[in-house]
C-alpha cells in the first residue's frame, strides 16, 4: 500500500484520448499551474508532448515526460493490443505507477486497455477478489460537504459476473471513495435490484444484502430500483458489471435522446424555440450542475494503486480535475480506507 | 601613490548583466496597489527569486567578472535596492536605475513604460568600456522586453543587424530621438565582436517557452535559476560543486525538492540543450561525503532522480537551430505589455 506522500505525482496516459494528446497535455499543464503539490508525469510520444508543452503556459518544475512510442487506440481490442504493444503509453504509465515513479494513473484512452494494464501491473487490495469500474452520474440530490450532485455506480463493466462477496467489496470500496472524494462522511450505499425488499433479486444480490446489513461502519440502506439512480436516492449504487454497464448505456442514451429532442424542438417551431429560449438560464444551470468535466473521471477500485479513468471526450479542464481527484485519493490513502472497511 | 601600489583591477573576462524586478527580485506591480506596496517595501521585506543571489555569488567567485544591473525601477529606490543586494551578499560593479522623474518633467510619457529606449542605450554605453574579448551572459524576464532588447544588443555588437533595421525598430518601439542618437553613438564606438553567449529569460509569468523560439537557441527561457546554473555549467561558467550550492540554497530557502530540480533538468534536455556532460560532472561532484548534499537528500536518491529523467526520454532531440532574428517582425515583443500593438501569441 502506498503511504501518504508529501508531493504527489500523477502519471497521465497522454495518448489515446478522443481529442488527441494535446488536450491531455493541456490538462496536465493546467494542473501544474493550479496545484503546487501535484506533479505530472506525461507518458506518451515525447516529440508530440514537447511540441504541445512548448506552446502552452505551464510550470516546467512540476512536469516530466516519459517517452512511449506506442498507444492503444479506442477501437482496438484491449488484450490483443496490449500483447502487441507492451510499450504502449497506458502500459508504460501503469508500470511506472507500480514501480513507484508516480502515485496514480489517469487515462482518457481505451477503458479496457486501462483496466487490463492495471490488472497486469497493480496488486488487488487484500480482501478484494475483483476490481470494479465506477462511474459518476448526475442526480437530483446533492451530497457531502462539496454539495456533490453526482452519485457513484459500480461496477459498470470491469467484473461482468460478480458474486455476493464481490458485491460486498464493491459496496465498501464505493463507500470509501465517496467519503474521500465527495467529503461525504456517511455515504448511503444501496444494492441495485428489481425491488426494495431484501429478498428481491438473484441469489447473489439477496446474499449480499444479508451480509451488508450486518456490516458495521457502512451506511447500507438496502435495495434500490433503477428509477432511484437519477433521483439520487442514495450516494453509492452497487451492482455487477453486466447490469451496471446496461444501466450506464441506457442513462447515456436517455441523455442523448433528450438533447436530440431539444434540437428537434428548436428547429421545428418558432414557438418551441421561444420556449427553449425562456428556459435557457435554467438549462444552463442544469448544465453547470451536471457538468461531468468538473468531476474529471471515475475510478477503477480494488487495486493497491489509484487509476482514474477520464472520459474519452475529456477536455483540458476535465483532465486537470481527474488529476486532482487522483491526487486526493492518494493523499487520503484510499487503498488503506478500503482495506480497513473490508476488515470490519 | 607609488607605481607598485597602484594595481588596477584585472580587466573582466566575463560580464553578467541583470535586470532586477522579476529577474532578481520577486516583484508585483500588476495593480496600483502592488505598485505602491513595492515602492514602500523595506529592503528586508523584498524577496529575491530563489537561487538568484546564490547564482550571482557563485558567478563572482572566479574574480574576473563584472556584474552590471540595469533596472526599470526609479532612481528614488536606489538606497533600498542597494541595501537589499548587500543583505543578500551581492556585490555589483554597475547599477543603473531609470530616471522617471526627469521623464515625467520633460513630458516623455512613452519613456515611462518603454524599455527599448531606456535599456538599449544603457547597455551599449556600458559595453564601450568592456574589453573586446569579454564574454557576456544576460539575465532578464518575460514581463517586459528583455529577450528582444538583449538579443538586439547582442546582434548589434556582432554586426548582424544593419542601420536600416535598427532605425525601423527604434521608430516602431517609440524611442525618443535623443535616445535614438545615444544608441547610434554608442554602437559606433563598440568594436565588432560576438561576446553574448547566453540570454536567460526568467519565466516569471510562465510565458510558454515557444514564445522565445524566434530568438534562437542563445535565448534560454528558464523556470528557475537551477536551470540557468545547469546551462552555465555546460557553458563552462560554473563548476559542478557551485551548481550544487545553488541547488541546496533553493532547497533550503524556497521549498524546492528533488522532484522540481530533476523535472527542471529534464525540461532543458527536452528543449535540446546539451547537458549530458553537465549531468556527468554533477554526478562526480556528488561522489564522496558531502555535508552540503545531506541537507538536500541522500546522494543516491539525487542521482537516481536525475538518471531516471534522462533515461525516460530515449534519444536526445537535436539542438535548436541557430537562425537570424527578424527584429522588425518581433517588434511587438518590445512594446509595453499593455500596448495595443503587443502580440501575445507565441512565435513559431
Amino acid at each position: 500500500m502506498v503511504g501518504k506522500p508529501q508531493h504527489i505525482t500523477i502519471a497521465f496516459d497522454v495518448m489515446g484520448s478522443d481529442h488527441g494528446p494535446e488536450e491531455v497535455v493541456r490538462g496536465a499543464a493546467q494542473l501544474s499551474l493550479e496545484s503546487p503539490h501535484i506533479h505530472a508525469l506525461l507518458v506518451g510520444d515525447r516529440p508530440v508532448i514537447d511540441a504541445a508543452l512548448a506552446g502552452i503556459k505551464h510550470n516546467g518544475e512540476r512536469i516530466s515526460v516519459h517517452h512511449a512510442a506506442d498507444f492503444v487506440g479506442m477501437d482496438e481490442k484491449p488484450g490483443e493490443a496490449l500483447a502487441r504493444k507492451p510499450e504502449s503509453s497506458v502500459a508504460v504509465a501503469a508500470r511506472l505507477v507500480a514501480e513507484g515513479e508516480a502515485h496514480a494513473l489517469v487515462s482518457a484512452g481505451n477503458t479496457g486497455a486501462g483496466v487490463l494494464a492495471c490488472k497486469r501491473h497493480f496488486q488487488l487490495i487484500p480482501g478484494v477478489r475483483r476490481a470494479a469500474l465506477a462511474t459518476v452520474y448526475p442526480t437530483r440530490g446533492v451530497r457531502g460537504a462539496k454539495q456533490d450532485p453526482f452519485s457513484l455506480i459500480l461496477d459498470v463493466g470491469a467484473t461482468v459476473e460478480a458474486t455476493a462477496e464481490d458485491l460486498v467489496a464493491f459496496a465498501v470500496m464505493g463507500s470509501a471513495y465517496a467519503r474521500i472524494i465527495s467529503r461525504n462522511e456517511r455515504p448511503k450505499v444501496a444494492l441495485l435490484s428489481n425491488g426494495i425488499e431484501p429478498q428481491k433479486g438473484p441469489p447473489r444480490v439477496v446474499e449480499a444484502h444479508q451480509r451488508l446489513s450486518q456490516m458495521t461502519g457502512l451506511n447500507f440502506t438496502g435495495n434500490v430500483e433503477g428509477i432511484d439512480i437519477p433521483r439520487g436516492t442514495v450516494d453509492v449504487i452497487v451492482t455487477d458489471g453486466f447490469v451496471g454497464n446496461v444501466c450506464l448505456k441506457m442513462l447515456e442514451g436517455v441523455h442523448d435522446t433528450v438533447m436530440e429532442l431539444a434540437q428537434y424542438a428548436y428547429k421545428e417551431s418558432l414557438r418551441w424555440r421561444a420556449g427553449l429560449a425562456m428556459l435557457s438560464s435554467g438549462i444552463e444551470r442544469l448544465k453547470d450542475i451536471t457538468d461531468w468535466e468538473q468531476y474529471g473521471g471515475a475510478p477503477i477500485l480494488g487495486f493497491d494503486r489509484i487509476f482514474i479513468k477520464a472520459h474519452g471526450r475529456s477536455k483540458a479542464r476535465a483532465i486537470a480535475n481527474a488529476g486532482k481527484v487522483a491526487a486526493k485519493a492518494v493523499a487520503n490513502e484510499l487503498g488503506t480506507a478500503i482495506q480497513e472497511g473490508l476488515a470490519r | 601613490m607609488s607605481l607598485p601600489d597602484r594595481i588596477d583591477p584585472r580587466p573582466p573576462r566575463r560580464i553578467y548583466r541583470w535586470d532586477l524586478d522579476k529577474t532578481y527580485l520577486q516583484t508585483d506591480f500588476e495593480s496600483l496597489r502592488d505598485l505602491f506596496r513595492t515602492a514602500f517595501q523595506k529592503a528586508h521585506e523584498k524577496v529575491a527569486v530563489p537561487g538568484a543571489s546564490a547564482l550571482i555569488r557563485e558567478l563572482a567567485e572566479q574574480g574576473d567578472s563584472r556584474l552590471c544591473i540595469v533596472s526599470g525601477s526609479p532612481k528614488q529606490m536606489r538606497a533600498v535596492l542597494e541595501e537589499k543586494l548587500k543583505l543578500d551578499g551581492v556585490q555589483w560593479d554597475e547599477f543603473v536605475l531609470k530616471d522617471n522623474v526627469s521623464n515625467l518633467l520633460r513630458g516623455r510619457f512613452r519613456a515611462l513604460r518603454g524599455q527599448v529606449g531606456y535599456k538599449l542605450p544603457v547597455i551599449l554605453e556600458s559595453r564601450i568600456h568592456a574589453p573586446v574579448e569579454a564574454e557576456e551572459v544576460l539575465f532578464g524576464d518575460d514581463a517586459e522586453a528583455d529577450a528582444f532588447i538583449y538579443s538586439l544588443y547582442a546582434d548589434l555588437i556582432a554586426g548582424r543587424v544593419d542601420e536600416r533595421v535598427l532605425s525601423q525598430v527604434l521608430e516602431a518601439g517609440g524611442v525618443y530621438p535623443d535616445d535614438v542618437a545615444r544608441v547610434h553613438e554608442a554602437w559606433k564606438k563598440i568594436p565588432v565582436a560576438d561576446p553574448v553567449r547566453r540570454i536567460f529569460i526568467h519565466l516569471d509569468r510562465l510565458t510558454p517557452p515557444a514564445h522565445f523560439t524566434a530568438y534562437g537557441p542563445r535565448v534560454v527561457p528558464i523556470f528557475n535559476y537551477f536551470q540557468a546554473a545547469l546551462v552555465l555549467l555546460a557553458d563552462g561558467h560554473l563548476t559542478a560543486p557551485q551548481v550544487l550550492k545553488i541547488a541546496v540554497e533553493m532547497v533550503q530557502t524556497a521549498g524546492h525538492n528533488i522532484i522540481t530540480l530533476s523535472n527542471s533538468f529534464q525540461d532543458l534536455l527536452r528543449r535540446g540543450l546539451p547537458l549530458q556532460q553537465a549531468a556527468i560532472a554533477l554526478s562526480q561532484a556528488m561522489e564522496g561525503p558531502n555535508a552540503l548534499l545531506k541537507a538536500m537528500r541522500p546522494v543516491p536518491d539525487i542521482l537516481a532522480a536525475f538518471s531516471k529523467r534522462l533515461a525516460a526520454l530515449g534519444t536526445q532531440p537535436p539542438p535548436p537551430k541557430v537562425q537570424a532574428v527578424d527584429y522588425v517582425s518581433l517588434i511587438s515583443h518590445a512594446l509595453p505589455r499593455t500596448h495595443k500593438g503587443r502580440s501575445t501569441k507565441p512565435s513559431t
Side-chain angles (χ1 to χ4, degrees):
Chain A
M1 205 71 56
V2 185
K4 201 172 187 173
Q6 201 181 0
H7 298 276
I8 294 164
T9 302
I10 307 296
F12 287 88
D13 165 21
V14 170
M15 318 302 282
S17 126
D18 290 352
H19 295 293
E22 291 81 7
E23 204 60 38
V24 183
V25 173
R26 272 162 43 83
Q30 192 178 320
L31 189 67
S32 77
L33 301 174
E34 292 171 354
S35 304
H37 68 294
I38 306 175
H39 297 266
L41 171 57
L42 304 180
V43 183
D45 190 33
R46 199 196 68 207
V48 174
I49 297 171
D50 285 346
L53 213 47
I56 52 174
K57 210 168 188 177
H58 68 279
N59 189 330
E61 294 173 353
R62 297 182 197 143
I63 291 181
S64 65
V65 175
H66 192 106
H67 178 65
D70 267 341
F71 71 98
V72 178
M74 283 292 193
D75 51 352
E76 289 189 81
K77 285 189 176 169
E80 287 174 17
L82 282 183
R84 225 176 37 249
K85 302 170 178 176
E87 290 301 305
S88 60
S89 56
V90 71
V92 172
R95 194 182 72 219
L96 290 170
V97 173
E99 288 169 355
E101 288 302 303
H103 299 94
L105 167 62
V106 169
S107 174
N110 187 313
T111 306
V115 175
L116 206 55
C118 290
K119 276 184 182 168
R120 288 187 183 169
H121 294 285
F122 301 172
Q123 301 292 316
L124 283 168
I125 293 170
V128 176
R129 286 181 348 114
R130 303 279 184 89
L133 173 59
T135 192
V136 287
Y137 192 77
T139 64
R140 265 163 46 188
V142 292
R143 49 192 55 81
K146 281 178 66 194
Q147 294 284 292
D148 199 338
F150 295 93
S151 65
L152 193 72
I153 309 172
L154 73 168
D155 171 26
V156 292
T159 301
V160 175
E161 287 181 38
T163 62
E165 196 182 341
D166 294 332
L167 292 173
V168 170
F170 294 175
V172 171
M173 295 194 297
S175 176
Y177 188 81
R179 198 167 63 242
I180 286 168
I181 302 302
S182 302
R183 290 199 212 124
N184 186 355
E185 267 311 302
R186 240 177 109 65
K188 285 189 271 184
V189 182
L191 278 166
L192 185 63
S193 192
N194 56 336
I196 58 165
E197 298 82 0
Q199 68 277 16
K200 280 285 176 77
R204 63 180 188 281
V205 175
V206 174
E207 191 190 332
H209 189 289
Q210 280 173 352
R211 288 200 198 182
L212 287 168
S213 301
Q214 289 159 10
M215 283 184 84
T216 55
L218 193 76
N219 187 15
F220 178 62
T221 60
N223 287 356
V224 290
E225 296 176 317
I227 196 168
D228 292 302
I229 300 176
R231 277 182 181 165
T233 316
V234 293
D235 307 323
V236 179
I237 293 168
V238 178
T239 184
D240 62 39
F242 178 75
V243 176
N245 196 270
V246 171
C247 277
L248 177 67
K249 294 289 157 63
M250 196 199 72
L251 291 166
E252 283 180 357
V254 170
H255 171 82
D256 290 349
T257 307
V258 169
M259 295 307 288
E260 278 168 24
L261 282 173
Q263 280 169 359
Y264 165 77
Y266 193 80
K267 285 178 192 159
E268 198 62 16
S269 139
L270 189 64
R271 203 157 46 123
W272 291 356
R273 199 180 305 174
L276 278 173
M278 286 168 76
L279 280 172
S280 63
S281 63
I283 293 169
E284 276 303 312
R285 173 91 183 104
L286 195 67
K287 254 175 75 182
D288 285 348
I289 290 170
T290 59
D291 176 15
W292 60 270
E293 289 213 343
Q294 67 169 297
Y295 216 92
I300 309 282
L301 295 170
F303 292 113
D304 60 343
R305 312 285 162 140
I306 309 293
F307 173 30
I308 301 293
K309 173 63 186 68
H311 205 291
R313 296 199 308 265
S314 294
K315 293 278 203 163
R317 181 167 155 262
I319 296 290
N321 283 339
K324 287 177 192 171
V325 166
K328 200 170 173 182
V330 172
N332 290 283
E333 299 178 72
L334 176 66
T336 308
I338 291 173
Q339 207 171 330
E340 284 169 1
L342 287 168
R344 283 191 196 126
Chain B
M1 190 183 291
S2 62
L3 198 58
D5 292 337
R6 200 185 139 269
I7 300 169
D8 287 332
R10 272 192 292 166
R13 207 160 67 89
R14 283 162 178 163
I15 298 168
Y16 300 107
R17 297 192 192 279
W18 280 73
D19 175 44
L20 208 61
D21 293 309
K22 294 178 186 288
T23 302
Y24 180 82
L25 289 176
Q26 291 182 336
T27 323
D28 284 326
F29 37 68
E30 309 307 320
S31 66
L32 207 58
R33 196 173 157 210
D34 291 336
L35 204 63
F36 271 107
R37 202 171 54 86
T38 304
F40 292 105
Q41 260 179 341
K42 295 192 170 76
H44 70 271
E45 292 170 333
K46 293 193 176 291
V47 180
V49 177
S53 58
L55 175 58
I56 289 178
R57 287 195 302 271
E58 294 306 323
L59 288 171
E61 270 292 288
Q62 308 293 338
D64 57 358
S65 65
R66 277 175 73 80
L67 174 64
C68 305
I69 302 169
V70 181
S71 166
S73 287
K75 280 185 164 183
Q76 290 71 20
M77 288 181 70
R78 176 174 290 277
V80 72
L81 292 173
E82 286 189 348
E83 195 186 336
K84 170 62 183 163
L85 291 170
K86 282 176 191 164
L87 281 174
D88 292 348
V90 170
Q91 292 180 318
W92 62 94
D93 299 282
E94 265 182 59
F95 189 8
V96 183
L97 293 166
K98 204 172 185 178
D99 192 356
N100 264 346
V101 173
S102 163
N103 283 327
L104 208 59
L105 292 174
R106 291 165 66 194
R108 290 159 51 103
F109 300 112
R110 284 201 312 271
L112 292 175
R113 289 189 306 137
Q115 291 293 314
V116 181
Y118 165 62
K119 276 194 179 174
L120 190 60
V122 169
I123 55 179
L124 281 168
E125 284 163 356
S126 169
R127 180 70 200 179
I128 294 170
H129 310 291
V132 70
E133 67 280 1
E135 292 183 344
E136 294 204 14
V137 176
L138 292 81
F139 296 83
D141 60 70
D142 59 345
E144 293 297 344
D146 290 340
F148 183 91
I149 295 168
Y150 288 166
S151 294
L152 179 60
Y153 164 74
D155 285 342
L156 273 173
I157 52 182
R160 284 188 289 264
V161 171
D162 61 33
E163 199 148 0
R164 184 182 55 85
V165 169
L166 177 62
S167 299
Q168 274 181 286
V169 164
L170 294 176
E171 190 185 345
V175 178
Y176 284 100
D178 55 343
D179 290 329
V180 170
R182 280 175 64 200
V183 167
H184 281 283
E185 197 180 328
W187 183 32
K188 279 172 193 162
K189 287 182 186 167
I190 301 168
V192 176
D194 194 4
V196 177
R197 296 287 165 264
R198 290 282 178 201
I199 295 167
F200 291 105
I201 298 297
H202 177 236
L203 296 173
D204 176 77
R205 304 173 73 105
L206 298 172
T207 304
H211 184 80
F212 303 96
T213 308
Y215 296 103
R218 184 177 52 198
V219 171
V220 182
I222 49 164
F223 290 99
N224 55 51
Y225 283 113
F226 177 63
Q227 292 192 315
L230 285 171
V231 177
L232 288 168
L233 168 62
D235 291 350
H237 287 242
L238 289 172
T239 63
Q242 286 182 301
V243 175
L244 291 175
K245 275 165 89 174
I246 295 161
V248 168
E249 189 191 90
M250 288 169 66
V251 168
Q252 287 178 332
T253 64
H256 278 269
N257 54 59
I258 196 64
I259 307 174
T260 59
L261 296 179
S262 48
N263 286 352
S264 303
F265 167 68
Q266 197 207 49
D267 172 65
L268 292 175
L269 288 176
R270 296 201 317 269
R271 288 196 249 148
L273 281 134
L275 296 181
Q276 276 77 359
Q277 290 306 314
I280 293 167
L282 276 181
S283 304
Q284 286 167 349
M286 284 186 223
E287 283 168 7
N290 193 327
L292 202 65
L293 290 170
K294 275 184 188 163
M296 196 155 88
R297 203 155 176 155
V299 171
D301 285 7
I302 304 170
L303 290 175
F306 278 69
S307 308
K308 275 176 189 165
R309 295 296 190 282
L310 183 62
L313 294 178
T315 50
Q316 173 73 358
K321 285 177 190 163
V322 178
Q323 60 195 20
V325 184
D326 183 355
Y327 290 101
V328 177
S329 72
L330 291 172
I331 188 65
S332 71
H333 289 193
L335 300 174
R337 191 160 279 275
T338 49
H339 195 284
K340 61 183 177 185
R342 173 136 182 164
S343 158
T344 51
K345 285 183 183 166
S347 311
T348 48

